[in-house]
Amino acid sequence: MIEIKNLHKSYRTGTNALHVLKGIDFSVKEGELVAIMGSSGSGKSTLLNILGMLDEADEGSYTLDDVPIKNLNEKIAAKYRNKFLGFIFQSFNLINYKTALDNVALPLYYQGIGKKERTERAYAYLEKVGLAQWATHLPNELSGGQKQRVAIARALASEPKVLLADEPTGALDTKTSYEVMNLIQEINDEGKTILIVTHEEDIAQMTKRIVHLKDGVIIDDKPVKQVRALAHV
Amino acid sequence: MFDLDRWEEIFDTIRKNKLRTFLTGLSVASGIFIMVILLGFGQGMQNGIQKQFQRDAANRISIWPGVTAIEYKGLNPNRRIQFKNSDYTLAAQKYSDQLAYKSPLYRIWGGLVSYGKESGNYRVEGVLPDYQFLENAEMLDGRFINHLDFQDKRKVAVIGNKVKTDIFKDKEEVLGERIEISGINFIVVGVYTDPGGEREESRVFLPISTTQQVFSGGNNIDNLSFTLPQEENFEAALATSQSFIKNIEQQLKQKHTVAPEDESAINVSNSLEHAKQIYDLIFIIKTFFWWVGIATIFAGVVGVSNIMLIIVKERTKEIGIRKALGARPISIIGMVLQESIFVTAIAGFLGLITSMLLLELIGPYIQTDFIVNPTVNFNVALSTVIVLIVAGGIAGFFPARRAARIKPIVALRDE
Ligand SMILES: Nc1ncnc2c1ncn2[C@@H]1O[C@H](COP(=O)(O)OP(=O)(O)O)[C@@H](O)[C@H]1O
Ligand SMILES: [Mg+2]
């Protein structure tokens, strides 16, 4: 599903160049649930952003679902993001003046799907994350956990190949974190490929594989025995 | 543009960002409002000046005597010149083929005009039939002085509309009524109106022959008035009138033994020369108001552009989210631009309509000599709105394009 080879990325700030990713080799098969771990500043988000085509690598190759991702112009990148990827962010990134339903429907709008179908599908995903009765509420009327579930529904709505989550539980308390992880596990159980960036050990233990990042290289990559979140909520 | 979903998306953002929309709209609407009011008053000033100028025939030439300033042929300075009937007949005959209208005038200052118990002091002027056209007077009722009145020295009077309302009050039918002018009875044969307004309508015209006879004027006259035939070209008309004035002035000076270089014995007023000054003034006023209008539009463009920049800044994160969800740059540009143009257009037309309504409502109540009927040419206002929308679009385009270039990772970076 995901295949990256010898990935390099530096950031230039003024005269200094910060070498963040120093040759990453890494692949993910369909249906995996992977945690990317590492201390703050180790390049986890950078890696995820490159995988999400929100940023570009300086060097190396990246193939997503057998499509080489290289030299994309903005238009193609937008299309691929919409078609292949669903994003979940630490700070949810819902559009604050749109209802939960409209937020979930937005990726479908950019797919050119008509209003009626959009609404139906968005509603189905809200139902899936257990928030159907909150459909007409604005984000600021929802709790953190609810917001993240709306964001997950939105990420799922476009039926992407891969879900990319950057610290999805970073802004939530433990109980809510586990509820969200439970939802993520259920989605993974249905076969969706998911990558989660986290620096919390307990969250990482709820995935199936942990990749450790340090100083821009992978220092450890091993499968784990998945802890089911449901047992803890 | 006609993508219904896009419109829905825009109405959605407008509905949910009422304040922002309101503020954008307000700046545009007030810009247009101010500009239309200004252009309206510019037009009003032009109307006012033109009306002032219409009170007499546009190409009238008036000549009246004064006091000599220079000793000439043994005659002392400070000698008062008096025109006589012969001055008029001489000029009228000599230049008869060059003149369109001509009339002498003999004036009684402070003539007391009365009807029954009502009376008032008005300018009473003895004239010839042509004088109607020299004055730009229009008959409301009856007729002006005619040739028979002059020949038979009839005691008939043509009164201004102001005189009529003053002394006849509500009486509608005044023709044939007998009025008294400084103790002598006259029959009213006509009522006139004058574009110059009340001041010009506070007069009574009599046949000059009658006036000279009954008010002991002998064959004295106070003033000569002429017009030359219309000419297509303003400059040519001005030149003809100047050469005519030069000839007649010379002739009058010779007849009254005035030094050729004496500037104060014979006075001449040429409406065409005034007209030139007035046209120049109108041009300056109009140019000024256009500049003000253009400056207002420019300010509007800057305002729209500023607000667009704020909107884009405010929406950076939202735009990042949209791009992460698959929005193409063109759709971001379209979204921002279409919203701003839509708001600008609606607000612009609102400003246009309210300002035009205001002009329409208060315009007729503005009664000064200098501002008359302030209105604005609708096409001018409309094209201004279109210019503003286009300019607003251009002003909005650059922030919109910048918005589209925002990298989602930059926009989404958690603080
Ligand atoms: N756009 C950027 N410009 C400059 N430096 C950046 C940029 N993004 C990230 N960095 C730097 O790169 C390093 C890795 O960042 P990041 O991938 O966000 O780390 P993590 O998510 O593991 O905490 C950090 O030192 C960060 O300061
Ligand atoms: Mg990070």
Side-chain angles (χ1 to χ4, degrees):
Chain A
M1 175 67 47
I2 291 175
E3 189 80 48
I4 57 174
K5 287 207 178 77
N6 193 31
L7 203 73
H8 283 265
K9 177 75 185 176
S10 316
Y11 287 117
R12 262 158 296 276
T13 43
T15 50
N16 331 4
L18 182 67
H19 204 169
V20 180
L21 300 179
K22 304 168 181 168
I24 305 273
D25 293 289
F26 171 60
S27 63
V28 178
K29 285 193 279 295
E30 194 166 346
E32 280 201 88
L33 176 56
V34 184
I36 298 169
M37 286 202 73
S39 55
S40 181
S42 56
K44 308 181 295 289
S45 295
T46 305
L47 177 60
L48 202 75
N49 287 337
I50 291 170
L51 293 177
M53 297 173 224
L54 297 174
D55 206 351
E56 255 185 294
D58 300 332
E59 212 186 304
S61 70
Y62 170 23
T63 319
L64 176 63
D65 200 28
D66 296 326
V67 180
I69 306 300
K70 198 151 178 76
N71 297 330
L72 301 182
N73 66 29
E74 277 260 28
K75 194 173 150 188
I76 310 264
K79 190 178 144 199
Y80 283 5
R81 280 199 289 268
N82 188 267
K83 205 166 128 191
F84 292 140
L85 303 165
F87 293 94
I88 301 162
F89 304 94
Q90 177 176 354
S91 53
F92 324 124
N93 283 336
L94 299 176
I95 292 177
N96 57 17
Y97 63 85
K98 282 184 177 290
T99 62
L101 188 69
D102 288 343
N103 264 289
V104 176
L106 198 56
L108 300 173
Y109 168 69
Y110 288 118
Q111 276 181 356
I113 291 171
K115 167 123 182 148
K116 190 162 171 285
E117 193 188 339
R118 223 157 61 205
T119 312
E120 274 168 15
R121 275 166 68 174
Y123 193 80
Y125 281 102
L126 271 184
E127 232 165 9
K128 190 180 172 72
V129 300
L131 289 177
Q133 69 273 37
W134 295 88
T136 58
H137 287 251
L138 292 175
N140 61 13
E141 298 162 348
L142 304 175
S143 71
Q146 286 174 326
K147 281 185 209 170
Q148 197 57 299
R149 273 146 67 193
V150 172
I152 291 169
R154 181 178 66 182
L156 289 172
S158 58
E159 285 164 9
K161 304 240 182 260
V162 179
L163 283 193
L164 300 173
D166 194 347
E167 312 250 15
T169 60
L172 306 175
D173 60 37
T174 310
K175 184 172 176 291
T176 319
S177 295
Y178 291 170
E179 282 167 9
V180 166
M181 280 313 291
N182 181 44
L183 182 60
I184 287 174
Q185 285 178 339
E186 282 173 15
I187 294 162
N188 177 246
D189 291 344
E190 287 166 18
K192 189 78 72 195
T193 313
I194 306 175
L195 270 72
I196 300 175
V197 161
T198 183
H199 61 268
E200 294 164 281
E201 189 60 41
D202 54 341
I203 298 297
Q205 292 299 329
M206 291 175 178
T207 64
K208 294 172 174 169
R209 172 185 165 193
I210 300 178
V211 175
H212 253 281
L213 225 58
K214 194 181 180 194
D215 294 335
V217 290
I218 294 175
I219 53 162
D220 194 19
D221 183 350
K222 57 167 199 281
V224 288
K225 190 177 172 309
Q226 190 180 33
V227 175
R228 292 304 292 195
L230 194 58
H232 297 270
V233 291
Chain B
M1 261 294 174
F2 300 104
D3 179 352
L4 247 152
D5 268 343
R6 169 74 70 75
W7 278 115
E8 249 192 82
E9 190 69 13
I10 283 163
F11 287 133
D12 211 29
T13 34
I14 289 175
R15 235 192 332 270
K16 279 153 187 168
N17 297 284
K18 289 197 184 85
L19 183 69
R20 184 178 76 198
T21 309
F22 174 76
L23 289 176
T24 318
L26 190 71
S27 87
V28 172
S30 52
I32 288 283
F33 184 87
I34 290 166
M35 197 206 65
V36 170
I37 297 287
L38 269 178
L39 289 182
F41 275 84
Q43 185 65 45
M45 283 174 80
Q46 177 177 349
N47 293 346
I49 291 168
Q50 266 169 355
K51 194 166 175 186
Q52 287 298 307
F53 168 60
Q54 276 165 5
R55 64 186 183 185
D56 295 332
N59 54 350
R60 172 171 167 169
I61 295 163
S62 294
I63 307 171
W64 66 100
V67 175
T68 56
I70 300 168
E71 185 190 317
Y72 187 60
K73 290 189 176 165
L75 292 168
N76 284 335
N78 282 330
R79 181 168 51 94
R80 179 163 292 280
I81 305 295
Q82 175 67 57
F83 283 177
K84 299 284 178 186
N85 284 349
S86 56
D87 290 312
Y88 171 73
T89 37
L90 195 73
Q93 274 161 16
K94 183 163 180 192
Y95 301 105
S96 66
D97 49 342
Q98 285 182 38
L99 296 171
Y101 297 115
K102 50 190 186 289
S103 172
L105 179 142
Y106 176 69
R107 178 182 293 127
I108 309 157
W109 282 104
L112 184 70
V113 181
S114 56
Y115 174 77
K117 287 196 186 68
E118 304 294 339
S119 66
N121 278 293
Y122 302 97
R123 272 155 70 195
V124 176
E125 297 175 334
V127 295
L128 285 178
D130 274 5
Y131 203 72
Q132 177 186 357
F133 307 105
L134 292 161
E135 265 303 325
N136 240 8
E138 195 187 320
M139 300 314 295
L140 287 176
D141 204 2
R143 60 171 178 84
F144 202 74
I145 304 297
N146 65 24
H147 188 67
L148 283 175
D149 296 334
F150 168 76
Q151 211 169 30
D152 301 347
K153 299 184 181 167
R154 290 176 180 166
K155 291 191 180 120
V156 293
V158 174
I159 62 174
N161 200 33
K162 172 83 165 93
V163 179
K164 178 192 162 190
T165 50
D166 280 358
I167 67 168
F168 285 105
K169 301 295 172 194
D170 293 334
K171 192 169 165 62
E172 286 291 325
E173 194 49 64
V174 302
L175 297 187
E177 292 297 330
R178 197 177 299 275
I179 56 173
E180 213 172 78
I181 301 175
S182 300
I184 293 161
N185 284 331
F186 285 82
I187 306 286
V188 176
V189 294
V191 180
Y192 73 90
T193 180
D194 189 299
E198 287 199 347
R199 214 178 80 89
E200 295 277 290
E201 289 175 0
S202 308
R203 284 183 296 177
V204 175
F205 294 120
L206 311 173
I208 186 166
S209 51
T210 321
T211 317
Q212 286 170 331
Q213 189 180 54
V214 303
F215 297 108
S216 332
N219 57 0
N220 289 347
I221 56 179
D222 293 318
N223 171 324
L224 307 171
S225 298
F226 306 102
T227 64
L228 303 176
Q230 296 278 343
E231 280 189 58
E232 278 298 308
N233 181 322
F234 183 83
E235 298 298 328
L238 187 61
T240 316
S241 69
Q242 280 163 341
S243 91
F244 168 74
I245 286 167
K246 204 171 144 234
N247 290 337
I248 196 161
E249 221 183 321
Q250 192 186 359
Q251 182 195 331
L252 286 168
K253 279 177 177 169
Q254 205 172 350
K255 186 160 175 293
H256 290 277
T257 331
V258 172
E261 68 274 22
D262 193 333
E263 293 285 338
S264 66
I266 311 282
N267 301 294
V268 182
S269 153
N270 183 358
S271 293
L272 285 178
E273 272 179 29
H274 294 308
K276 191 169 158 44
Q277 289 162 4
I278 282 158
Y279 285 135
D280 289 350
L281 182 65
I282 287 172
F283 179 76
I284 289 167
I285 290 172
K286 283 200 133 177
T287 313
F288 173 74
F289 277 107
W290 269 109
W291 272 109
V292 173
I294 287 166
T296 315
I297 292 172
F298 188 74
V301 168
V302 172
V304 169
S305 172
N306 264 335
I307 289 167
M308 292 291 296
L309 263 164
I310 294 168
I311 288 175
V312 165
K313 264 224 168 92
E314 224 173 50
R315 294 178 80 172
T316 301
K317 186 140 197 153
E318 178 194 335
I319 290 164
I321 297 169
R322 285 174 182 271
K323 291 183 96 174
L325 296 179
R328 283 174 301 149
I330 186 86
S331 96
I332 300 287
I333 292 179
M335 178 180 76
V336 175
L337 263 191
Q338 202 169 320
E339 181 189 332
S340 81
I341 291 174
F342 177 74
V343 172
T344 315
I346 297 291
F349 279 108
L350 275 180
L352 179 68
I353 288 164
T354 48
S355 51
M356 291 190 63
L357 267 178
L358 186 73
L359 281 181
E360 204 66 30
L361 287 177
I362 66 158
Y365 293 98
I366 295 177
Q367 288 189 344
T368 79
D369 283 347
F370 298 104
I371 298 171
V372 175
N373 189 25
T375 50
V376 71
N377 182 327
F378 187 77
N379 288 335
V380 169
L382 194 66
S383 34
T384 316
V385 173
I386 290 164
V387 165
L388 188 77
I389 292 166
V390 171
I394 293 166
F397 177 76
F398 295 97
R401 197 178 59 174
R402 212 167 78 180
R405 283 182 179 165
I406 290 170
K407 288 217 180 306
I409 39 159
V410 178
L412 293 174
R413 189 177 293 147
D414 294 319
E415 254 59 50

